[in-house]
């Protein structure tokens, strides 16, 4: 299928690994000129080089943290006028004891997982509106829709992002600016591997679920409590084609939706 976005300028904020990188690759495959950002520069530069070589499109890497004003300004300077914007960020780590989640931790979560994406959207919407065409896709999380006791510092801030997108998408759809969210479930990505091996996260989860503080005990608990009907965890490219589709000309009638991609883990109708 021709996605109808050849030659469009696309930003993948959070594009050096995982679902962000896979989405960047699908946009490059569709012929987009790319700007990709991430915090860690060596991996970012390597990703940009590999994508440019594989798909023959220009890929500009921008080392920038989307959760800071300085980082966002670096992104804005590198690509002032994108047609397509996709954003993902790493939220704060899984929490331990819920009663130890402080106001300061909430502020950090909101700054990263809500204000960062909103500020990037807010910066680019006027140009998209003026040009009469734009696509915005947030890669958020299924815990925005399915509350999870261990994802207090990710889910609630992203639920607010969904609420924001639901309103703002209807406001700008008449101008050809189309916004949607994708809510991933469990995916075997670089970010997931980092989480699984991080001693602090293992300690948090062991405290929360009253388990021995070992990787084995925590992994066993998650295997037993996260039943995925497909029988396997997703890989990044199980999500990326949907992200590229929502960024495409073909998505012009899909507005303010939240697409869950989780192998069927959460049995909800809406
Ligand atoms: N994997 C899962 O099982 C799972 C489950 C539910 C939800 N999710 C959500 O899905 C999204 C993608 O996850 P993933 O597993 O693909 O993660 P990943 O493998 O860690 O990839 C995330 C990408 O975003 C970049 N990034 C993270 N924070 C950033 C920031 N503040 N500013 C700029 N770039 C940033 C990372 O590079 P740097 O680290 O170098 O910045 C990397 O390029 C995340 O929002 C995650 O919460 C994932």
């Amino acid at each position: 299928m021709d996605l109808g976005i050849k030659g469009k300028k696309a930003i993948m904020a959070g594009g050096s690994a995982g679902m962000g990188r896979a989405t960047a690759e699908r946009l490059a495959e569709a012929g987009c000129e790319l700007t990709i950002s991430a915090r860690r520069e060596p991996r970012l530069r390597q990703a940009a080089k590999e994508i440019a070589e594989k798909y023959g499109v220009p890929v500009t890497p921008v080392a920038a943290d989307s959760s800071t004003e300085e980082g966002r300004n670096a992104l804005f300077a590198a690509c002032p006028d994108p047609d397509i914007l996709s954003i993902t960020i790493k939220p704060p780590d899984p929490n331990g004891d819920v009663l130890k989640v402080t106001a300061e931790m909430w502020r950090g979560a909101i700054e990263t997982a809500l204000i960062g994406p909103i500020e990037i959207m807010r910066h680019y919407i006027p140009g998209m509106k003026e040009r009469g065409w734009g696509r915005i896709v947030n890669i958020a999380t299924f815990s925005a829709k399915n509350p999870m006791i261990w994802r207090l510092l990710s889910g609630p801030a992203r639920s607010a992002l969904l609420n924001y997108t639901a309103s703002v998408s209807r406001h700008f759809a008449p101008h050809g600016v189309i916004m949607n969210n994708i809510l991933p479930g469990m995916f075997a990505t670089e970010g997931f591997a980092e989480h699984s091996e991080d001693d602090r996260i293992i300690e948090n989860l062991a405290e929360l679920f009253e388990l021995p503080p070992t990787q084995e005990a925590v992994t066993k608990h998650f295997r037993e409590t996260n039943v995925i009907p497909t029988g396997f965890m997703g890989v990044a490219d199980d999500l990326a084609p949907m992200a590229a589709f929502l960024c495409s000309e073909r998505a012009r009638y899909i507005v303010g939706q939240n697409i869950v991609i989780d192998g069927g883990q959460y049995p909800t109708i809406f």
Side-chain angles (χ1 to χ4, degrees):
M1 178 179 18
D2 179 4
L3 293 181
I5 49 175
K6 190 166 193 280
K8 298 265 189 210
K9 287 186 198 167
I11 291 178
M12 182 65 240
S16 68
M19 293 175 256
R21 161 136 186 192
T23 298
E25 292 215 24
R26 289 294 180 178
L27 292 171
E29 184 184 51
C32 293
E33 183 183 313
L34 280 178
T35 299
I36 62 171
S37 67
R39 296 163 300 175
R40 287 171 276 183
E41 196 161 2
R43 183 171 71 173
L44 172 72
R45 290 201 170 279
Q46 184 63 24
K49 186 169 168 285
E50 287 171 8
I51 297 169
E53 281 171 7
K54 187 167 173 192
Y55 298 100
V57 294
V59 184
T60 305
V62 185
D65 183 340
S66 300
S67 69
T68 69
E69 207 176 326
E70 190 191 359
R72 292 190 289 270
N73 285 339
L75 184 63
F76 301 157
C79 184
D81 54 355
D83 306 295
I84 293 167
L85 169 65
S86 182
I87 309 168
T88 195
I89 48 86
K90 183 176 193 263
D93 292 341
N95 52 280
D97 181 346
V98 295
L99 300 180
K100 291 185 186 165
V101 176
T102 63
E104 193 186 339
M105 291 159 80
W106 279 112
R107 284 188 201 102
I110 288 164
E111 193 69 47
T112 301
L114 178 64
I115 296 176
I118 286 179
E119 284 297 275
I120 299 174
M121 292 166 77
R122 200 166 70 88
H123 180 84
Y124 285 126
I125 288 169
M128 292 180 176
K129 179 185 170 199
E130 204 180 299
R131 294 187 292 279
W133 200 97
R135 297 287 183 270
I136 299 178
V137 174
N138 284 299
I139 301 174
T141 173
F142 71 159
S143 65
K145 199 168 165 177
N146 309 292
M148 294 174 184
I149 192 77
W150 57 287
R151 263 344 227 144
L152 286 181
L153 296 173
S154 175
R158 263 93 169 263
S159 298
L161 181 64
L162 269 49
N163 192 311
Y164 175 87
T165 311
S167 297
V168 171
S169 59
R170 270 90 186 175
H171 192 66
F172 290 103
H175 304 281
V177 183
I178 299 296
M179 304 172 206
N180 291 286
N181 300 305
I182 300 183
L183 313 183
M186 310 293 280
F187 277 78
T189 59
E190 290 91 327
F192 185 87
E194 282 171 10
H195 266 186
S196 315
E197 289 156 16
D198 185 322
D199 287 342
R200 279 176 313 117
I201 295 177
I202 291 166
E203 275 168 31
N204 278 352
L205 293 170
E207 177 186 50
L208 177 64
F209 295 116
E210 298 178 1
L211 301 167
T214 64
Q215 190 176 350
E216 294 69 38
V218 170
T219 303
K220 181 170 177 288
H221 174 83
F222 271 82
R223 281 226 180 89
E224 287 166 2
T225 54
N226 286 272
V227 178
I228 306 174
T230 51
F232 58 87
M233 275 177 79
V235 296
D237 204 47
D238 288 323
L239 176 143
M242 174 60 79
F245 181 80
L246 292 175
C247 289
S248 80
E249 181 57 32
R250 308 276 163 248
R252 65 180 193 157
Y253 202 55
I254 305 174
V255 174
Q257 299 303 302
N258 302 304
I259 315 284
V260 177
I261 303 181
D262 69 350
Q265 184 172 341
Y266 271 86
T268 55
I269 295 172
F270 301 108

